[in-house]
Structure formats: C-alpha cells, structure tokens
Amino acid sequence: MIDSVRCTAGGRPELAALPVNAPIGYIGGHCLPVVRVFAKAGTYYYSTVIADSAAQTSRAPGAAPTAETIAESSSTFAAVERIDRAKVPWEMVPLIGGLDKSEARGARVAVRNVQNALETAQLAVLVDGAGTSITSAIVDGIIDACNQVQRYNGKTSFCCTIGQYRWLIQQTEIKNLLVRTFGGLDAVRAMSLDKTVFKMMLQTIFAVDEVHIANDQFWPYAYRTTAVVVKTPEAADDLSFVSEPEYGRTMIYWPGDQATPFEVNSFPDDDLRSNIYDAIEWDSIEQFNSGAKVLLQINTSGSTT
C-alpha cells in the first residue's frame, strides 16, 4: 500500500513543465522579459540612449568630422533563489485521484508559488514610485507619457492593476470615447462588453501598442494607485538590449535544455509520511534604463464621473 503512494525521488522535469493556472495572468515577463543565462552571477552589457547633438557645419576641407562616441554600458548581476515546498500526505494521495494526479497537484502548487514570487519581484522593480497624477486628464496624461519614452526600443505598453482598470473604464472621459468607438452603444451596453474588447479599445484610445492588466495581489501595495507606461522589447528571446536602449530584463539561470527555468524535485519522507515537492528558480531582475518607463498616479478612490 505504501509503495503505491510514494513518489519518485529526484529531479522531475515532467512536473516542472506542467501548465500552472493563472486566471488573470502575469505581466512581469512582458515588461522585464527573460534572458537565459548559464551562470548565477556575471557581467552584462547594454545600450543607453545617446543624447542628441547638433550636426556639424562649416567643417574645414580636409578636417575630420567631429565624432559622437557610442560607448557601451555594463553592470553585474547575481541571481537569487526562489523556492517553495509542497507536501502531500500519503493518505491524501488516493483522495486526490492516485499518485499521478497528486504529484501534478503538489508540483503545480510549488511552481505557482515560485512564479508568484517572481511576478511580485518584477513588479516591485517596475512600480517603484507614486508617479505623476493624471486623474483630471487621463487620456492626455497617458499620451504624454508615451511621448516621453519614444526614444527607447520596443512596444509602448500601458500597465495597471485590475482594480485600476475597472476604475478607468467607468470614468466619463473614457466612457465617452468607448461609446463613440462602439458606434452609438449606450454606456451600459458598452460597459457590458468583454474585457478583451475593452483592452483593444483602450489600446486605440491611449495610442499604445499593448495593455497589460496585472493581478492586484502582486502589485506593490504602497503604490496601488500607480500605473505605468513602459517600453517592452519586440523580441523577448534575444539580446536586443545590447544594441538598442531598452527598459530591462529578468536574468534567469537556466543552464539545461528543460522546457522551463523552474526545477522541480520530489522525494518521499518516511518521517512525515508524505511526498515532498520542491520548486526552485534563480533570477536577477535588471533595470537598464529607468527613463524607458513613466509612472502615473491614478486616484481610484475619487469620483467615477
């Protein structure tokens, strides 16, 4: 009987690859995409914005033009461990549906908690201040923020929490534009449309490329009324930040050929009479160019008219 409920000891890449339910989804990986690294510490190189300078005039014949030196920037990273352990008592294994299902349950719980920790850390880097208030002029404020980051590489993204999003779409300034966009629908009918459609409309209204809505529980509590306009890379799996100025990346230690950077290990514990599932990930979240984001203050406790 005991043998039928004991898990296998060792690394479990098949459990690490299982999909984890994220009903709202994570946005940290959009704003600070993953870069695969093969050491837990090291040096990386990145580009910054080159200040505009006046083109030379009245150059003397035979004289060399004045050169604008393009220098590289560098910094170091050191990956930190994020780890979570789930325990499945042996008597629970048959109740969950057998060993295979109980192993999937234990691994998913541990991996999800590590993913949650990574999302929280990424958003803590992204949202690190209160920002400029745009409550009285929402659309103009967001468009102005987009203009401020236009010299950085990538897509222009608007990021906020689900709470901020729900407040925004109730504002008269936004509702009027939404109703107009929907071709004459009244406000109640327009507000009842699918959230995905609203996101598409907001992308048009705010003149941004993407709208990302975060789970409130991962957003820094001290800045729960702060939204962000940020440049996100076009291609998240390359090293474009070396040649083009970008906001930042998440350096993840990912040395093998496994499907995900999350390592899952399991072992049966005879003392606890349980199966143990550990999920581990190593990362360093790096902000290259803080000028590639603009923090915006939205007073969500104010009027919705």
Side-chain angles (χ1 to χ4, degrees), residues 135 167 225 298-304:
T135 303
W167 183 86
T225 57
I298 300 174
N299 181 19
T300 55
S301 62
S303 171
T304 59

Side-chain angles (χ1 to χ4, degrees), residues 26-92:
Y26 304 113
I27 73 165
H30 292 287
C31 303
L32 292 151
V34 169
V35 172
R36 185 171 178 168
V37 296
F38 300 95
K40 293 179 180 177
T43 300
Y44 62 85
Y45 298 87
Y46 65 97
S47 289
T48 59
V49 168
I50 305 299
D52 290 334
S53 60
Q56 188 176 355
T57 59
S58 303
R59 180 178 62 88
T66 301
E68 182 76 33
T69 301
I70 301 176
E72 64 184 11
S73 298
S74 66
S75 188
T76 59
F77 72 91
V80 298
E81 179 191 57
R82 304 189 195 279
I83 186 169
D84 190 79
R85 171 170 289 182
K87 179 178 68 174
V88 180
W90 289 340
E91 59 266 27
M92 286 295 297

